[in-house]
Amino acid sequence: MNVDEFLEHLNQREVVKGGSEVHLMMHDISQEALKLTTELNGSYHPPEEIREIFSRLTGKPVDETFGLFPPFATDCGKNIHVGKNVFINSGCRFQDQGGIFIGDGVLIGHNVVLATLNHDINPQKRSDMYPAPIRIGNNVWIGAQATVLPGVTIGDGAIVAAGAVVTKDVPANVIVGGVPAKIIKKIEINQK
């Protein structure tokens, strides 16, 4: 199995059975991610070097407007997709096997967790995993310490309050907060 076949399996939201070829490939890919995140986090790098390391981590180039403050952690990296003018603050953890799609102009605060895998609820099948993508629209702001769970889509212009746990889709141009996150208010767009 190669990386493209692995990602195709995950992106079709097919179960990853514990001990299967896909599961073993997941462990192999995690070793490269651990190596690259150790390089990223181990010493100071200017912004262009951060972009270069992050591009190797994801397997695709990131835009010159991309910014990240280490430390950063992921156990895959190959299923992260970022737009332009994206900023990821320090301490973030991305579990991206299920796919993380980040639109343009997104701000991600300190210590945000984006998780795209769930384990089976049956204790006898607990090692089986179910991937589901996280999709973050354009101009979204995710506050510090927020957690976004598998399968969630966050609409354009939305704000996720600090500490929120997002378990369901978030409409465009709203602020959500709490555990679980609920709509706090709508964002009025002033066209001046």
Side-chain angles (χ1 to χ4, degrees):
M1 170 171 278
N2 63 36
V3 174
D4 291 335
E5 292 167 334
F6 169 74
L7 291 174
E8 182 178 340
H9 182 93
L10 295 171
N11 291 334
Q12 290 177 359
R13 298 179 79 160
E14 294 182 32
V15 64
V16 176
K17 296 217 175 268
S20 68
E21 182 182 15
V22 177
H23 191 224
L24 296 175
M25 182 69 167
M26 186 181 289
H27 283 280
D28 288 346
I29 289 174
S30 71
Q31 294 308 301
E32 181 183 355
L34 290 170
K35 179 181 172 187
L36 289 168
T37 54
T38 298
E39 180 183 345
L40 177 68
N41 300 328
S43 63
Y44 171 76
H45 299 281
E48 60 276 3
E49 286 181 17
I50 288 175
R51 287 191 296 275
E52 187 271 326
I53 296 167
F54 198 84
S55 293
R56 284 192 285 139
L57 181 63
T58 63
K60 50 199 150 303
V62 292
D63 191 77
E64 64 181 19
T65 59
F66 173 80
L68 179 141
F69 285 176
F72 174 80
T74 183
D75 51 1
C76 180
K78 300 300 182 212
N79 216 358
I80 298 172
H81 311 268
V82 295
K84 296 178 180 180
N85 296 304
V86 169
F87 177 70
I88 300 170
N89 220 323
S90 64
C92 290
R93 298 179 178 275
F94 289 9
Q95 180 195 50
D96 63 287
Q97 288 89 342
I100 294 173
F101 300 85
I102 301 171
D104 296 337
V106 172
L107 303 174
I108 299 178
H110 293 92
N111 300 314
V112 167
V113 173
L114 303 179
T116 65
L117 290 175
N118 272 319
H119 287 273
D120 200 296
I121 61 171
N122 179 340
Q124 273 63 49
K125 294 182 174 184
R126 193 62 46 87
S127 64
D128 291 353
M129 291 168 277
Y130 299 90
I134 291 172
R135 299 183 186 281
I136 301 169
N138 296 325
N139 303 309
V140 169
W141 174 21
I142 301 177
Q145 305 279 347
T147 299
V148 182
L149 297 183
V152 168
T153 295
I154 300 173
D156 292 346
I159 297 172
V160 175
V165 176
V166 185
T167 62
K168 296 180 181 169
D169 289 353
V170 175
N173 299 312
V174 298
I175 300 171
V176 297
V179 180
K182 295 185 180 354
I183 295 174
I184 296 170
K185 70 187 250 182
K186 294 185 179 199
I187 299 170
E188 299 299 325
I189 306 296
N190 205 346
Q191 300 294 334
K192 288 186 179 180

